[in-house]
Amino acid sequence: MGHRGLVSPDRPMHLAARRLSLLLCALLLPGCGKLEALLGLDEDPPPPPPRPAAAAEADPSAEPVSAPPEPLVRASQKLRFPGKSGEHMGFDLDKLSKVYALAGAVERPEWSSPGEGSERLVRDDDLHTAWSCRPSSESGCALGIHFPVPAEVEAIRLYALPPGDGPARARPKRIRVHTTQGWAEARLADEDRLWHVLLGEPVQTRNLSVEIMETHGEGPVQLAELEVYGRTGTPRDPLAITLAHTVVAFDPPVWRKKLRTHSAGRAFLERVDADGRLQRLLPGTALVGRTGDRLLLIEQATWSTCDDHQGAYSLLDTHTRVLVPLGDMGGFGGRVFRHTEGLGFGIGRVEGDDAKVEAIVLDEGVYERRTTGRLDQRAPAQMLADWDIEGAPLATDPSGTLASPPPGCEPASATSLAGLRPHLPKRTSLDATQWTACSLGDDHQLLISTGGPCGKQWQVVVLGSEGALLGRRSGKEAGTHVRLRRLDESSMLIELWGADDRPRLLLAELGLVDVGTITGLSLRPPIACRTRCDTSFEDLGPGS
């Protein structure tokens, strides 16, 4: 079989060479004219051969040839209106409906300090990875984005890694956003969060650069995300999220108690891959919805007194990558009702003929809020149906338990226990009622026990064909509760959450892999609020 060349027989060689020239020009801007001369492209291309009448229409699938990117300029003129920073892009739903993340190629401007690592790490959808740069007295740190076509930019979102236990690390304090029309500045607080910077008015530009002018602390800045939002321009690809593979990683402690109030620590939504590695997506304590839905619900718990809890919700539009702030939607911890087409949620309670629900839906391309009213004569079921909201609530985490396991799991058989016995301590008592077996395909089995409901000792074992030991973990922790989530027919996630509120997550497939350090499927109420080891926020009821 012959190799397929760069140029197909029906495409002019000159056009292919020019496209190659344009690609190289993008990388070697100063020598672009000489490069075309060397390639013989400074002359007009030969006229194309005549086409048959049937082929007179242009191919609509053909991609246009883009011009070389313009240099990333350090703007000298200030824009008319200043920029401002915030946790989000505001509560104007009509405005948020019209913006989307913009596609573009990342480049470090020539006037920036060199930095370390790939600039592309700020666009890899992983807050664990970052481009590192140390500002100096001679030059600051900057990154720019070239847009495929001119874009009308309204805001940026960025995230810098916080100082840790390792080497010193700084965070942006004052940044300057450069466009081809001018620059705007904004100040950021020394807090670990996603920061949005909104321009005073939309700006039409071919590229954009973010320059770090001042920092909180000493050391390099590690920039993990740079997202640009606008109303026009080439949209970025949608954010692909599989709910089953999304877990929550916690910074210790998960809960911190002061008097009667339990405050939640930092938590992030993470994607677990086939090897158990984590990819950090966004801050959050739970992600609710269904895989394939355009809109997903992010929960962010703040504190709980057991009788009352506080937190906030955000709507994640996976198509536009916009985060829509929602507040507490009438009471954090309420039941969540899904839109029938994955275009929104209702949150609240429905009890017989009494209902208190707030909803957010995407209707004809616009986010809209809806709420129940005391004068509404409709029955709750009819009201939800009119909003295209499902009548049955979603579980915050639909994972199974040992009492109600997911498909492919059942009480362990005598044969399974016989294969397990050689791999346990000699004095271990094997009670068939305390063990659950889950199929992992190819005659592999996952066996789990907590020594009884809310037990004190847990064991997780993976056996291969003919009883070969592929992995084993065990531990002692009072009030241990297990949640099981099947990823596919051959792999599962196992969450072990005990009285110490330090959850442990295991990936079972061809063995056992520890996922992260303190990781769970979603946040659980603090131990002081759990009357049973399986108590959930839904059991406690919505906050005020």
Side-chain angles (χ1 to χ4, degrees), residues 236-241 243 287 290 292-296 315-322 342 367:
R236 198 174 177 195
D237 289 339
L239 186 62
I241 294 180
L243 269 294
L287 185 64
R290 290 182 186 166
D293 286 354
R294 172 172 173 172
L295 303 183
L296 300 175
L315 196 67
L316 171 60
D317 191 327
T318 60
H319 286 196
T320 65
R321 296 170 173 257
V322 168
Y367 305 122

Side-chain angles (χ1 to χ4, degrees), residues 47-103:
R51 294 179 297 174
E57 295 294 330
D59 180 3
S61 64
E63 296 183 0
V65 180
S66 300
E70 297 179 4
L72 295 170
V73 178
R74 194 177 195 179
S76 58
Q77 179 180 344
K78 188 176 182 180
L79 292 172
R80 290 193 306 165
F81 299 100
K84 65 176 182 178
S85 64
E87 300 176 28
H88 47 73
M89 289 191 284
F91 294 97
D92 188 333
L93 295 182
D94 183 65
K95 181 178 179 180
L96 293 174
S97 303
K98 296 175 181 176
V99 299
Y100 51 86
L102 297 169

Side-chain angles (χ1 to χ4, degrees), residues 258-470:
K258 184 177 182 180
L259 301 178
R260 293 185 61 251
T261 301
H262 304 265
S263 298
R266 294 194 314 157
F268 291 87
L269 303 172
E270 313 237 359
R271 178 188 291 128
V272 58
D273 68 11
D275 298 319
R277 294 186 294 260
L278 292 174
Q279 177 183 356
R280 180 159 289 184
L281 298 173
L282 294 164
T285 52
L287 185 64
V288 186
R290 290 182 186 166
T291 298
D293 286 354
R294 172 172 173 172
L295 303 183
L296 300 175
L297 188 69
I298 297 176
E299 294 186 358
Q300 183 67 67
T302 306
W303 54 260
S304 177
T305 61
C306 302
D307 299 324
D308 189 17
H309 10 273
Q310 188 59 263
Y313 299 97
S314 296
L315 196 67
L316 171 60
D317 191 327
T318 60
H319 286 196
T320 65
R321 296 170 173 257
V322 168
L323 288 171
V324 181
L326 302 177
D328 65 4
M329 295 292 283
F332 183 79
R335 299 287 183 180
V336 178
F337 301 84
R338 173 183 173 270
H339 188 276
T340 55
E341 298 181 5
L343 297 178
F345 296 91
I347 301 173
R349 59 175 177 80
V350 176
E351 299 173 356
D353 292 333
D354 184 27
K356 181 184 178 182
V357 177
E358 291 193 22
I360 178 79
V361 298
L362 184 66
D363 189 359
E364 296 184 353
V366 179
Y367 305 122
E368 292 184 359
R369 274 187 180 268
R370 296 168 183 173
T371 184
T372 52
R374 289 180 297 176
L375 301 180
D376 198 321
Q377 300 299 313
R378 291 173 295 176
Q382 184 59 50
M383 176 198 63
L384 294 177
D386 290 344
W387 294 350
D388 293 324
I389 299 289
E390 295 173 349
L394 281 174
T396 298
D397 189 283
S399 304
T401 63
L402 295 184
S404 180
C409 298
E410 59 186 8
S413 65
T415 302
S416 297
L417 295 180
L420 176 64
R421 185 175 294 279
H423 306 297
L424 298 178
K426 293 182 179 180
R427 296 183 179 180
T428 302
S429 175
L430 284 177
D431 185 342
T433 63
Q434 297 180 357
W435 285 85
T436 297
C438 300
S439 170
L440 296 179
D442 296 330
D443 294 330
H444 293 181
Q445 264 194 333
L446 167 68
L447 293 122
I448 312 159
S449 175
T450 57
C454 302
K456 297 181 179 180
Q457 182 169 353
W458 58 266
Q459 300 197 62
V460 181
V461 180
V462 174
L463 298 180
S465 58
E466 300 180 1
L469 180 65
L470 300 181

Side-chain angles (χ1 to χ4, degrees), residues 144-198:
I145 294 182
H146 296 280
F147 304 123
V149 297
E152 190 178 48
V153 174
E154 290 205 4
I156 67 169
R157 186 178 76 203
L158 53 84
Y159 179 76
L161 299 184
D165 298 330
R169 187 183 295 160
R171 282 194 286 202
K173 180 178 182 179
R174 178 168 62 95
I175 68 167
R176 181 172 290 183
V177 180
H178 297 271
T179 72
T180 54
Q181 303 296 321
W183 59 264
E185 281 190 355
R187 290 185 172 272
L188 311 180
D190 189 14
E191 299 176 4
D192 182 29
R193 65 173 70 253
L194 296 175
W195 284 106
H196 293 76
V197 176
L198 284 71

